[in-house]
Amino acid sequence: MHNLINTSQIRKKDMTMSEVRVRIAPSPSGNLHVGTARTALFNYLFAKKNNGKFILRIEDTDAERTSQAYIDNIFDSLKALGLNWDEGPDVGGDYGPYTQSERFDIYPKYAQILLEKGFAYECFCTPEELEAEKELATKNKQAYVYSKKCENLTEEEKEKLRKEGRKPALRFNIAKAQKAFHENSILKFDDLVKGELHMDTDLLGDFVIMKSNGTPTYNFAVVIDDMLMKISHVIRGEDHISNTFKQILIFEALGAEVPRFGHLGMILAPDRSKLSKRHGATAVSEFVEKGYLTDALINFVALLGWSPSDGQEIKTVDEIAQDFRIGEISSSNSIFEYDKLNWMNSHYIKMLPIEELKEKLKPYLTQYDLSELTDAQYTRMVEVTREPLTLLSDITDAVPYFFGEGVEIEPEVQSDVLDTETSQEVLKEFVAQAKDWEFDEENLHEKLEVFRGKFKEKGIKPKVTMWAIRAAVTGRTRGADMTAILAILGKDKVIARVNSAIK
RNA sequence: GCUCCCAUCGUCUAGAGGCCUAGGACAACACCCUUUCACGGUGUAGACGGGGAUUCGAAUUCCCCUGGGAGUACCA
């Protein structure tokens, strides 16, 4: 009996302890980057798959580079992508605040603990001294590691330095922590995506955890926050691998449970360099402005490293979550190629419910007077022009002929199509007949079929016949379905345009 | 320089010793459909970076080389 109760209690305890809590911790020194979006996505997927919590934390310890506009952009982008967080600066949670600058008072406490335990020491080195050390190392072609010259400063020495007005920074004592918890200088951990990773901690160098101005450095703040927020799994880019070793040591020095880590390969530009502004858009919001759908973007980015078990690549985030296993993520870098993103975007545009598409297209139609069209006409216009769109913004150049009385004729269209004798003949005949037609699509379709059939008997290809009409009405040789165009424009406009094309 | 990570078609990837004469998707090309463009359909071309080792057998394991990426801040 007692045993039973005990087991169930242990189970319960295990379950609460192993609750999955992951986080995305962007630093608001720029708009939300697609790379960050992908990291956020994988965290989100992992949380969803494991019934865990997805947490948003803003890492703004560097006040210089932080701005509210960036914070807003991060919030908006994440939301637009459908990556909603369970805890965060705006929604709160049990482990807040979720903005590091609002947590400044809690870091010194833990720094003090480390200091008292001997895992940290004050460092009075000036930037110049440090610079000199580095230069020397480079000159001797050696890896730079801090000299630890402040490690064993006596109280008198420190006092003297303090009187000189020098404010100490706090450094973490790597070797001491490593020795305290590990057999030798090699630190290992089992990475969720890469497997066992190891590092000789002698090469790490005692890093600063508290700056002389009293604020924490990234590596320290992250650990404290992850610890306090009970983060169970840290999934982030592989550019953090070396930080991970430092952070594990801090967790251990603090006597905290070390979370599991998983490092993702990076997203590279087609030239294999880091994805940056010179390659085009990098922020999610920029992609949106360019006319990409967030559903397409997130789906595309999910495929960078992850692949579906059923081969079906078009999937919603929730569908991906079902199929998601972090160990199956590719551990190599991947290149961000627009080809597939573009294909995916056009696919999503085709799939989008018409009402939604009509709304999403409006920002790209501001140069036209939409009041010229009834809602039914606008709907139809969108229906017949959506097919070839790669970007939402492509709509701008796809529809000018639906607006205004006359139409701008492209020069080549004038000379190659309208100026030909056949075209003129077709147009004259068209006006003669069309003035008696009903301009609804069904009827137009039949009439046009008969119309080009007549010309075909005279040896004029249907294609040529239709081109003449298309050219006169739209000024182009390519575009949406002719019957739809004619129906939307209506008899008066069509006849007027054709008449003005007749010489 | 030092350290770490990675390595299958142009790109994203499947592949966890024999199912692989390496599969799929995007892009490319060809053909078909068609009143244009497009969509769609069908098909073609296209890869295990190199060298050793283990094994009856390696894309899959190990080692070396090469290549690419990342880190090396009182930035995050």
Side-chain angles (χ1 to χ4, degrees), chain A residues 213-231:
Chain A
N213 67 8
T215 63
T217 59
Y218 165 76
N219 274 312
F220 189 56
V222 165
V223 171
I224 301 305
D225 291 345
D226 284 344
M227 174 180 81
L228 262 22
M229 292 178 184
K230 296 198 158 50
I231 300 302

Side-chain angles (χ1 to χ4, degrees), chain A residues 13-271:
Chain A
K13 194 185 168 207
D14 281 349
M15 281 179 72
T16 44
M17 279 181 69
S18 65
E19 188 200 5
V20 167
R21 292 175 58 80
V22 296
R23 47 54 164 197
I24 181 70
S27 119
S29 54
N31 291 330
L32 188 80
H33 192 276
V34 282
T36 314
R38 186 180 68 138
T39 306
L41 169 67
F42 286 144
N43 274 281
Y44 179 89
L45 293 170
F46 186 72
K48 269 274 178 292
K49 176 67 188 259
N50 297 293
N51 293 311
K53 294 274 191 295
F54 174 58
I55 295 148
L56 171 62
R57 182 173 73 222
I58 297 294
E59 307 210 324
D60 58 346
T61 47
D62 185 9
E64 298 268 313
R65 302 198 296 164
T66 293
S67 97
Q68 185 59 41
Y70 292 143
I71 295 178
D72 293 342
N73 181 276
I74 290 168
F75 279 34
D76 294 345
S77 299
L78 249 17
K79 279 181 195 161
L81 292 168
L83 304 178
N84 300 308
W85 49 97
D86 301 299
E87 295 171 28
D90 55 340
V91 296
D94 295 339
Y95 305 94
Y98 293 88
T99 300
Q100 279 183 337
S101 58
E102 291 170 22
R103 301 171 64 81
F104 277 154
D105 56 326
I106 76 180
Y107 304 113
K109 285 189 293 198
Y110 293 95
Q112 189 60 32
I113 292 174
L114 254 21
L115 192 62
E116 282 162 12
K117 284 186 170 179
F119 288 124
Y121 58 90
E122 290 176 302
C123 171
F124 291 84
C125 293
T126 61
E128 293 73 31
E129 287 175 280
L130 262 15
E131 197 50 47
E133 280 189 7
K134 268 177 232 175
E135 264 174 48
L136 192 72
T138 332
K139 194 179 283 177
N140 295 338
K141 290 194 171 179
Q142 284 182 326
Y144 168 71
V145 259
Y146 174 61
S147 65
K148 293 168 81 87
K149 68 176 161 185
C150 293
E151 184 186 8
N152 296 312
L153 252 30
T154 63
E155 281 311 315
E156 294 79 54
E157 287 169 321
K158 287 187 211 169
E159 208 40 50
K160 193 182 158 218
L161 260 0
R162 248 185 266 275
K163 284 219 175 92
E164 286 175 19
R166 284 161 72 154
K167 288 242 185 347
L170 218 57
R171 279 184 192 273
F172 187 74
N173 196 325
I174 296 258
K176 203 143 182 202
Q178 178 69 22
K179 275 200 191 96
F181 306 102
H182 306 276
E183 290 176 359
N184 50 39
S185 67
I186 307 297
L187 179 57
K188 297 176 182 171
F189 72 93
D190 188 31
D191 190 272
L192 260 8
V193 346
K194 289 178 187 288
E196 187 177 279
L197 260 28
H198 56 85
M199 174 65 128
D200 185 345
T201 54
D202 285 349
L203 271 19
L204 252 25
D206 292 349
F207 56 97
V208 171
I209 55 174
M210 290 295 285
K211 304 176 200 174
S212 51
N213 67 8
T215 63
T217 59
Y218 165 76
N219 274 312
F220 189 56
V222 165
V223 171
I224 301 305
D225 291 345
D226 284 344
M227 174 180 81
L228 262 22
M229 292 178 184
K230 296 198 158 50
I231 300 302
S232 62
H233 301 257
V234 175
I235 301 162
R236 66 211 324 189
E238 70 177 23
D239 49 336
H240 282 287
I241 291 178
S242 59
N243 288 328
T244 299
F245 293 100
K246 295 175 183 175
Q247 293 172 14
I248 287 174
L249 254 15
I250 301 179
F251 275 109
E252 292 177 333
L254 250 14
E257 199 180 329
V258 182
R260 297 290 310 274
F261 291 91
H263 293 91
L264 276 14
M266 311 262 74
I267 295 183
L268 270 25
D271 65 358

Side-chain angles (χ1 to χ4, degrees), chain A residues 358 362 369-382 402-403 487-489 493:
Chain A
K358 279 162 65 184
K362 279 182 180 165
D369 182 7
L370 284 182
S371 69
E372 286 182 28
L373 303 177
T374 62
D375 184 59
Q377 287 173 317
Y378 177 52
T379 304
R380 191 66 187 135
M381 181 192 90
V382 171
F402 284 103
F403 301 91
I488 292 169
L489 285 172
K493 269 190 192 174

Side-chain angles (χ1 to χ4, degrees), chain A residues 401 407-410 412-414 416-419 423 427 464-478 482 497-498 501:
Chain A
Y401 53 82
V407 69
E408 193 184 327
I409 311 278
E410 291 174 357
E412 318 81 63
V413 173
Q414 180 68 46
D416 298 352
V417 181
L418 292 179
D419 288 349
S423 292
L427 294 179
V464 174
T465 310
M466 295 304 283
W467 258 6
I469 302 169
R470 179 180 292 280
V473 176
T474 71
R476 306 171 167 201
T477 52
R478 27 192 294 189
M482 269 318 291
R497 286 185 188 181
V498 173

